[in-house]
Amino acid sequence: MMRHANTRQYGQQRLKRLLYRDPYLAPYGEALLRRIRLVRETARRLTGGTASLADFASGHMFFGLHRTADGWVFREWAPNATAIFLIGDFSGWREKEGFALQRISRQGTWEISLPPSALAHGDLYRLRVYWEGGGGDRLPVYARRIHQDPDTLIFNAQVWRPPTVHKWRHAPCGLGLRSPLIYETHIGMAQDRAGVGTYAEFTREVLPRIVAAGYNTLQLMAIQQHPYYGSFGYHVSNFFAASSRFGTPEDLKALIDAAHGAGLAVLMDLVHSHAVSNEVEGIARFDGTAYQFFHEGARGMHEAWDSKCFDYGKPEVLHFLLSNCRFWLDEYRVDGFRFDGVTSMLYTHHGLSKAFTSYDDYFDAAVDEEAMAYLALANEVVHAVRPDAVTIAEDVSGMPGLAVPVKDGGIGFDYRFAMGVPDQWVRLAKEVRDEHWPMGYLWHELNNRRADERSISYAESHDQALVGDQSLMFRLAGAAMYDHMHKEDGHLGVARAVALHKMIRLITLATAGHGYLNFMGNEFGHPEWIDFPREGNGWSYQYARRQWPLVDNPDLKYQYLDRFDKAMIRLAREADLFAAAWPYLLHEHNDQKVLAFHRNGFVFAFNFHPSDSYADYCFHAPPGAYRMVLDTDAPAFGGNGRLVPGQGHQTLAGNPGVGTAHLLHLYLPTRTAIVLAPETAIGAHR
């Protein structure tokens, strides 16, 4: 009775905090209380109430292959197996009695101890697993290194104990109080040459570009081992192995260490929403059953993604996934995670063809509350192991409480992505001529986020340029980019695209809740789209690379967009823009295509009109003196230079009776945005 009373009190306290944040949740109090209790009860069930969740999340320290003082020990969890053998270079790839694992628990833990000479660094191996009525080869679930034969393309686990290990030179670099300015990257496509990039190549050639760009966070995609390169890293097979197609574990550690040394926090995409359906390379049907890690039957298959769906109610699955969270923090010193596919996790319909139009959608029978409990526990583990770590949820549904602390009844993410923002830019660019862009709609969509949760906005990520779509710059300019990007070329379509590209990125950053993201190359208007080598394109790498020579060429216009992005990011940092969580609308005029707002003392004015410039445009603003610190029309950014650099402005007295106590009078050229800083803050921007 005491435990039940404590659990109820625990839930009531957190429910009260959650309802304080969002009173519209009040009608769903009982459902919220049930979810809050489920998190607490699941944690107690996992730890027995005697250990911390962080201690519980240590499966990687027990399972898998480990070097000990006496030799080697290997453990695996396979409850349905009847026999397991280690096979590999050391056994001639045959089953040998000395390499047979022994079952050591009723729960299905298997173990083998071997002398030091039995295995050597670089040895390839796998498991041969038998079960009633069958058997097959499998790669170990906790394997930390996977090797693919370049000729046969066969994957095997690899003993990894190099004579020289990476020695960390720099401490982890959590964001702390800094707002995240995220540079999203994919190691394999980060190079200009046709082929697969490497960790070492990225550290040497791309990382300096990111540092120079001014971003403070590096987000690494496709790090977990995945057998099919074209999956973009989302069909994970080996959750504890860094992708070997990009290099060695030491290479990845050196990359992260170098990023820390440059002051960058390092996040990685963590794919716990599903797993590849491969059986030999992955963990599907590992012990002969479909339900060892996944739901049985139709619920265990994600038909749209051709992948397997985890059973988040199973303690062993939670042990595996929570340990995976801790592993990347411990072993590779990452500073947090972007949790991929959260919408797919939260709902049994995976959010497919579903419009979330009311709070009822967050509390119907389609919600997977066990998955929700797992995400809350994962956030607890991450923040217990690294209090300064950052977690970001990729959720399109708008589930309330996602980025609310667990102590306040939420799921515990630090941030959520404002995924509607890039979608609205795609819709406008594809379907509406910019002279018809609705200013009120635009303002609403840019600010359409939950007031009680922190969010990160972006104009485009990798998603918007995947095959079938295009990068934003290419969407705006089209095929003219192929022939009219020379800096002396006056092509009107390209000039329009360059102007809008700068304005779109600036207004997205300036209205973002608490952070901003850019996918590599998009800062300079990378053309075309992303398409990995596959049968349908003749296995070409043409669109699976970044064309850095475009921005390096002083004769092309890409340099202007890159230069503007650097200035924009520098402004956001120096102005501490996100210290004010919301922008305040000063003026909106749809026919004139003008938006003006202020944030943290700075005034932003945008004229999206394609042909009309305004010589003496006035709107009310906070009183005081201002100076222009950013101008998208500046020649350095590929503009026409119609404004005086650093020009000062003073508000003038208006008519208090009609709400215009102080007015700014500005020259707003067509397709131009300007930023004004209060004179008290000018020193940092001179």
Side-chain angles (χ1 to χ4, degrees):
M1 288 296 293
M2 181 63 70
R3 172 174 291 184
H4 178 75
N6 288 341
T7 301
R8 183 169 184 82
Q9 183 181 18
Y10 168 94
Q12 292 286 2
Q13 290 172 346
R14 281 151 180 77
L15 177 61
K16 184 177 179 180
R17 295 173 189 166
L18 190 59
L19 295 183
Y20 176 79
R21 285 172 167 267
D22 184 358
Y24 289 104
L25 288 170
Y28 310 96
E30 283 303 314
L32 289 165
L33 197 57
R34 182 181 66 248
R35 293 175 181 180
I36 292 168
R37 289 172 182 164
L38 179 61
V39 175
R40 178 64 176 266
E41 290 164 0
T42 303
R44 182 182 292 113
R45 180 161 56 105
L46 297 178
T47 65
T50 60
S52 69
L53 268 176
D55 289 335
F56 171 79
S58 56
H60 55 290
M61 302 178 191
F62 180 79
F63 290 110
L65 181 65
H66 297 275
R67 188 71 163 86
T68 69
D70 300 325
W72 302 88
V73 63
F74 178 87
R75 301 185 188 95
E76 194 65 87
W77 175 64
N80 190 56
T82 57
I84 304 178
F85 291 87
L86 271 179
I87 61 172
D89 292 333
F90 43 81
S91 71
W93 296 96
R94 298 189 303 275
E95 299 168 20
K96 289 187 175 181
E97 184 176 346
F99 292 96
L101 277 68
Q102 302 299 314
R103 187 169 185 139
I104 62 171
S105 77
R106 295 174 60 186
Q107 289 73 32
T109 300
W110 296 73
E111 181 181 277
I112 184 173
S113 295
L114 297 167
S117 59
L119 306 175
H121 170 66
D123 280 350
L124 302 179
Y125 70 100
R126 56 174 55 192
L127 302 176
R128 185 154 293 160
V129 183
Y130 290 94
W131 51 83
E132 292 293 339
D137 284 4
R138 299 288 187 266
L139 299 191
V141 171
Y142 284 81
R144 300 190 182 191
R145 169 72 174 170
I146 301 297
H147 174 272
Q148 184 178 24
D149 187 280
D151 298 319
T152 66
L153 304 183
I154 292 174
F155 290 92
N156 284 295
Q158 188 173 34
V159 178
W160 197 256
R161 191 174 173 81
T164 303
V165 298
H166 179 77
K167 295 182 179 179
W168 295 96
R169 299 173 53 224
H170 305 285
C173 191
L175 279 166
L177 298 177
R178 296 183 297 168
S179 299
L181 297 167
I182 301 173
Y183 199 91
E184 183 186 39
T185 66
H186 182 287
I187 300 298
M189 63 175 288
Q191 77 302 323
D192 174 58
R193 62 179 174 81
V196 179
T198 67
Y199 300 124
E201 189 175 14
F202 184 95
T203 306
R204 184 177 62 251
E205 299 181 10
V206 181
L207 186 61
R209 293 180 181 270
I210 300 169
V211 175
Y215 291 82
N216 61 22
T217 305
L218 177 65
Q219 182 176 297
L220 300 175
M221 301 178 62
I223 294 301
Q224 293 171 292
Q225 182 75 31
H226 48 288
Y228 179 46
Y229 188 43
S231 76
F232 221 118
Y234 291 128
H235 277 188
V236 174
S237 53
N238 313 99
F239 288 77
F240 292 83
S243 177
S244 56
R245 61 169 51 88
F246 307 142
T248 69
E250 278 63 42
D251 292 338
L252 176 56
K253 291 175 181 177
L255 187 165
I256 294 171
D257 205 8
H260 287 160
L264 293 173
V266 180
L267 311 181
M268 66 172 278
D269 272 17
L270 195 68
V271 183
H272 284 180
S273 48
H274 62 136
V276 72
S277 56
N278 299 36
E279 294 180 0
V280 176
E281 298 89 357
I283 60 175
R285 220 165 67 90
F286 181 82
D287 69 350
T289 63
Y291 51 82
Q292 183 183 359
F293 289 96
F294 311 106
H295 287 289
E296 194 169 11
R299 190 177 173 190
M301 195 71 196
H302 197 306
E303 296 295 339
W305 293 351
D306 187 27
S307 56
K308 303 292 291 182
C309 299
F310 286 105
D311 181 351
Y312 301 104
K314 201 168 185 177
E316 294 85 355
V317 173
L318 296 180
H319 188 221
F320 171 76
L321 294 174
L322 292 174
S323 298
N324 194 237
C325 293
R326 177 163 188 175
F327 168 78
W328 292 100
L329 295 169
D330 287 347
E331 183 69 17
Y332 286 93
R333 296 194 181 185
V334 299
D335 302 292
F337 305 103
R338 168 196 184 266
F339 277 73
D340 175 69
V342 168
T343 306
S344 179
M345 298 172 71
L346 289 176
Y347 307 94
T348 55
H349 53 57
H350 306 303
L352 300 173
S353 302
K354 169 67 178 176
F356 295 87
T357 57
S358 93
Y359 272 44
D360 291 343
D361 296 323
Y362 306 127
F363 295 94
D364 62 20
V367 177
D368 187 339
E369 295 186 348
E370 291 175 334
M372 189 178 296
Y374 162 67
L375 290 171
L377 297 178
N379 276 288
E380 284 199 48
V381 166
V382 170
H383 293 114
V385 175
R386 280 280 305 280
D388 63 339
V390 169
T391 57
I392 307 172
E394 189 217 22
D395 169 54
V396 73
S397 76
M399 170 66 76
L402 199 61
V404 171
V406 175
K407 67 179 179 62
D408 291 341
I411 300 175
F413 285 97
D414 295 298
Y415 301 92
R416 64 191 308 157
F417 282 125
M419 299 183 69
V421 172
D423 289 345
Q424 65 95 18
W425 285 125
V426 170
R427 283 195 298 270
L428 289 177
K430 290 174 67 171
E431 302 170 9
V432 184
R433 294 174 63 90
D434 59 290
E435 55 261 42
H436 300 306
W437 284 2
M439 294 295 101
Y441 164 82
L442 178 59
W443 179 257
H444 170 75
E445 290 298 322
L446 288 169
N447 292 280
N448 185 18
R449 55 181 179 269
R450 298 188 59 82
D452 60 326
E453 302 183 35
R454 294 190 291 182
S455 63
I456 295 170
S457 294
Y458 51 101
E460 57 181 330
S461 68
H462 68 280
D463 283 331
Q464 280 66 50
L466 286 171
V467 63
D469 216 321
Q470 301 171 354
S471 70
L472 182 58
M473 182 61 185
F474 198 75
R475 176 68 62 189
L476 293 169
M481 288 189 74
Y482 293 127
D483 301 309
H484 299 285
M485 286 298 284
H486 191 279
K487 67 180 182 180
E488 303 299 334
D489 192 318
H491 190 277
L492 294 179
V494 168
R496 166 189 176 271
V498 168
L500 290 177
H501 191 271
K502 290 178 288 186
M503 296 180 72
I504 287 170
R505 305 182 91 72
L506 178 60
I507 199 169
T508 300
L509 179 143
T511 57
H514 305 82
Y516 176 77
L517 175 141
N518 166 68
F519 181 68
M520 64 176 181
N522 289 347
E523 71 277 8
F524 66 80
H526 201 281
E528 300 171 325
W529 49 83
I530 297 170
D531 188 12
F532 283 85
R534 54 188 172 86
E535 188 175 4
N537 65 12
W539 303 103
S540 170
Y541 288 89
Q542 172 66 23
Y543 301 108
R545 60 194 181 101
R546 296 287 91 178
Q547 299 181 56
W548 302 110
L550 293 177
V551 71
D552 293 338
N553 190 331
D555 293 326
L556 299 180
K557 295 180 180 179
Y558 298 98
Q559 62 179 310
Y560 299 138
L561 298 177
D562 182 67
R563 200 175 294 149
F564 174 76
D565 196 79
K566 287 182 171 70
M568 180 182 75
I569 295 298
R570 182 171 63 251
L571 172 69
R573 295 180 68 157
E574 293 177 351
D576 195 15
L577 196 60
F578 302 117
W582 293 87
Y584 180 79
L585 183 64
L586 298 174
H587 180 80
E588 178 239 310
H589 197 295
N590 188 59
D591 291 340
Q592 295 170 343
K593 301 303 173 197
V594 172
L595 278 171
F597 55 92
H598 78 85
R599 186 172 191 177
N600 204 31
F602 288 72
V603 173
F604 296 79
F606 291 78
N607 177 12
F608 281 97
H609 203 285
S611 58
D612 289 354
S613 296
Y614 306 109
D616 189 23
Y617 201 93
C618 70
F619 53 87
H620 71 87
Y626 296 88
R627 191 169 300 280
M628 188 172 68
V629 293
L630 190 63
D631 161 25
T632 64
D633 194 51
F637 306 142
N640 296 303
R642 291 169 289 182
L643 292 163
V644 177
Q647 186 170 18
H649 298 274
Q650 175 73 49
T651 57
L652 301 177
N655 185 348
V658 293
T660 57
H662 298 274
L663 295 172
L664 267 175
H665 292 255
L666 304 174
Y667 172 38
L668 294 180
T670 177
R671 288 191 180 128
T672 295
I674 65 173
V675 183
L676 306 179
E679 284 285 1
T680 54
I682 290 298
H685 303 282
R686 287 195 184 277

